[in-house]
Amino acid sequence: MVAYGEFRQGYDKDTADTRLVFYGLRYILEHYVARRWTLQDVELADRFFAGHRVPGHTPFPYPRDLFLRFIRENDGYMPVRLQALPEGSVVHAHVPTFQLTAEAPYAPLCTYLETLLTHVWYPTTVATLSRRCKELIAAAFDRSVDGGRTNPLLNSRLHDFGFRGCTCVEQSVLGGVAHLLNFDGTDTLSAAYYAQFALNEGRPVGESIPATEHSVMTSWPSERQAISNMISHFGEGVFATVMDSYDYQRALDEVVPAVVAELQEQGGFWVLRPDSGDPTDAVLAALRAAERAFGADVNGKGFKVPRGVGVIQGDGIDYHNIRHILEAVMEAGYSVQAVAFGMGGGLLQRLSRDTLSLATKLSHIVYADGTAVDTMKAPKTGPEKASLPGVLAVKRVNGIPTAFPAELVAPEEDMLQVVYDKRPVPVQWENFDELRQRVEREWAALPPTALVLAPELAAKRAAVAERLGVRWQVQG
Amino acid sequence: MVAYGEFRQGYDKDTADTRLVFYGLRYILEHYVARRWTLQDVELADRFFAGHRVPGHTPFPYPRDLFLRFIRENDGYMPVRLQALPEGSVVHAHVPTFQLTAEAPYAPLCTYLETLLTHVWYPTTVATLSRRCKELIAAAFDRSVDGGRTNPLLNSRLHDFGFRGCTCVEQSVLGGVAHLLNFDGTDTLSAAYYAQFALNEGRPVGESIPATEHSVMTSWPSERQAISNMISHFGEGVFATVMDSYDYQRALDEVVPAVVAELQEQGGFWVLRPDSGDPTDAVLAALRAAERAFGADVNGKGFKVPRGVGVIQGDGIDYHNIRHILEAVMEAGYSVQAVAFGMGGGLLQRLSRDTLSLATKLSHIVYADGTAVDTMKAPKTGPEKASLPGVLAVKRVNGIPTAFPAELVAPEEDMLQVVYDKRPVPVQWENFDELRQRVEREWAALPPTALVLAPELAAKRAAVAERLGVRWQVQG
C-alpha cells in the first residue's frame, strides 16, 4: 500500500497564492517513526488494548502480530519506506509532500503511521503563515524603506510572542522553529535554543531585546522611573517598554517627552509597545509621539523615520491586520521600518489542520494476488477535492515542483527523497542557516500559483475516475 | 514577589456559566519546574544568551547569577513556592488557581516561570469545553433517554477524534487526557495510554470500537463488501463504518437495507458515520435509514430508538452544533441515545488562551527595605478586568470556592495546596478514577455562576485601586 500527504489549499483558502513552506517531517521521523520497538512495548500495548474497548464487546484490534514480526525480523524498526520533500521546500498546494509505502504483510502499517505524519501540518502551517507575513512586510519595505526588502531590518519585523499561548513546550519548539525559518525575532526561547543546538551546530538562530512587561512597570513607583531604569541599564542598545500600564495616551504625551535627554545621552534605540486598544490607532499614536518628542528624518523614499524610537505592536496581531497597519503607517507618511509586530497566539496557536487542509490519502494497492490498482478519493463534486492516484514523484518543470506518476521520473530526479527505508537511512539534513537560505531562495523563485499536475498524471487521474464511475470535467 | 493565575471568563465568554475544570498543573510541575539545574545547563544558557541579541547591541539579560546560586545553595532546584488548586477542581472564573512565591534575591524567578505555568490554560480549557459538551448531552439524556443522565451510555457520547489535528504528540496527551476526565470515548491513543499507565496505576481509562476510515472502504471492490467484512469480523459487538466514500444517501438507501440479515445474525451494534455535508441533516438521514431498515422501539420517555444501529457525527462538530443536533434529533422524535459525537480539531485544537482568558498577574511585593505592597492590574475601564491584590487563598463559602486575602485563611483550609516548596514536596495526587469522580461531583455541586470574592478581598481591592488613583464603582 502507498499513501501520500498533500496540502489541499493555500494559506487560509487563498487561491491567488498557493505556495507553502514544507517543514517539520524530520522531527516526527526522528522522534516517533525511526524508533526500535521492543517486546516490552508490545506487552504494554497488549495491556492497553485489552482494556481499550467497550466493556463486554468486541476487542479493539491492533496489529499485534505485525509488531512481533518486525521486532523479530527487522530489529524492531517499522518496515516501511518514507519519502519526503527536503525540509524547507517551497511548493504549491496539491504537490505531494511525503509518501509512505508498506509492503506485503506490513501493508496495514501504511495507514497506521498516518496520524503521526499528519502532525507535519503544524510546522508547515506556521512556516507558511510567517512567510506570508514576511511577504506583506517586504512589499511595504519596498515602498517605504531605503534599500527595500534587502534592508536587514526586515528580518526582525515579526517577533514571535507565542510561547505562552502554546498548548505545551513541544508545540512551542515546533512552531517557534518554523517561524525562525523566516525571521530572527523570537521570545520563544525553547525554539531558539533547540534551533541553535539541535539544528545549527551551536550557532545562534534567534534574537531578542531587553523588554519590560506590565509587572516590571508597576513594580516601580512610577512609569517614568521604570523607563528611566531601562534607559540607564539598556539605553546604549535596543530595548522596549510596554506603555499601557496606566494610561497609554498619557504615557505617550507626558512620559515620552520627559526622557528625551536621558535616551539621547545613551544613544540607543527605544521601542514603544502598546498592548491594548485598536492596533492601528495604537501604532500611529506611538509614531506621532515619537516624532513630536525626538524628531524625524525623511528617508530616500520620502517617508518619515522617527529618530531613535520605534514601535512594536504585539497585541491582537494576525495576517490581515498586519496589512492594514502597514498601509495606515505609510498613509500617515511614516516608513514601515519604524514598526515591528509581535504575534503570539495568532502565529503559533490560532491555526488548524484546515488552514492548509492537509490530508493523507491512499493512492496505490497491490493485492495478495499481485493485482496492482491505483486508487484515490474521488468525490462526485469535482476534481478539486480529489486526491492523486498511483505511486507519485515530484520533479521540477520550468522550476515548478510538479507531480508525476513515479514511473516517469528517475529516482535521482525525484524531489521525494527517501528519508527512512525499513530502518533509519543516512540523510544529509541541511543545517538551519542552509534551511533559511533554501526558503528565501525557493519562495522568491516560485510564482504565487502554478499548475502542478503533469499531463500524464492528470490523464491517469481521469482514467481512474472513469474506472470508479465518477464523471467530471477535468481541466488541467 | 507573589504572582497568581486566574481564568478571567467562562467558556467562550459565557457569563451565564463561568465554571471551569482546573487541570494540568501537575504535568507542568513534574516535567518542567521540579527539575534540577546543573552547571552544564548554565554553560549552555551562557552560549545561548550570548548569541540571542541584536547584533552589536545590548546583551539579552538572563538571571545567570541566580541560577548559579541555587545550583550551589539549593541542589539545583528553583527556590520558589508553588501552590495550586487540586487537579480536577471545579471553580468559577476569577478564582485564583495557582500562586507562585519567590523570596529575596530569587524574586525575579517569580515571573520567570510564568510562561511555563501559563500552559495550564490548555488542559483546563479542553477539560472545560468537554465538560460543557457533556452538560448539553446530559440535559438531552434527561429529556429523551431512559434513566436520563444516569444512563451509562452518556460517558461514550463524545468521542475524541483530535489526535491528528493536534500540533504534536505532547499536546495530544495533555488535551486528550483532559477530555478523558469527562468521557470514556477516545481515539487519541497517546492520551489513553498515558492516562492508564502514568495516572491510573495501569487501569484502563479510555475506550473505543473497531471502525473503518475511507481508505479501508475504498480498498474493497464495493462498499457493501467492506461493510460485510466488518460485520463478519466485529458484528457481535459495537463497530462503526464511515458511509460517505462514494454517495452517502445512496449508501443509506441501498447498502444499509442490504445487510440487515447479516447484522441481525451477529447480534451486535452498528454505528453509521457520516463524514460530510450538513451535520444535522446527516445525523437525521442516518437515523431514518436505520429505522426504515431495522425498525425502532419507543422508550419510556416516548422517543424512538432504532434497533441495533446508531450514528456518530464526527465531522465539523463544535459546542454550538452539538446543541443544535440534539434538538433536531429529539424534534424528529428520536432519543439522543442513538447519537454520538466525534470531535477532533474542535476539541483539541480550535482553542486558545483567550477561550477562558488565563492571565498570571503580580499581586504582592516586599521591597529590599522590607516594605510590603499589595499590587494589581487596575485598568481605568473597570474592576471586571482588574486582578486581585495581595497574597491570596481560596476557601469554600457555602460550598463555593471563594478568594480571600491569605491572612484570613488557615493554611489547612486553603484550597491552594503547596505542591512545590523550593524543591519537590510529597503530594497525594489522586489517581485518574478519583479525578473523574472529583470532576463529576464538584461540577454538579456548583451553581453555574456565583460571587467568588470574599468581602474582605473586595474591600482590599477597592483600597488598592484608590491608592493607585483608579476610581471605579465596586459592586461585589
Side-chain angles (χ1 to χ4, degrees), chain A residues 3-6 98 110 114 117-118 353 358-362, chain B residues 164:
Chain A
Y4 80 101
E6 167 190 331
F98 60 87
C110 190
E114 179 187 325
L117 294 174
T118 297
R353 187 165 67 94
L358 172 62
T360 305
K361 295 293 168 197
L362 192 68
Chain B
R164 70 185 54 205

Side-chain angles (χ1 to χ4, degrees), chain B residues 22-42:
Chain B
F22 179 68
Y23 182 69
L25 199 91
R26 176 185 176 184
Y27 182 93
I28 297 168
L29 170 67
E30 293 184 344
H31 287 78
Y32 298 111
V33 178
R35 299 185 66 150
R36 297 181 74 163
W37 288 74
T38 65
L39 288 176
Q40 196 192 359
D41 292 327
V42 175

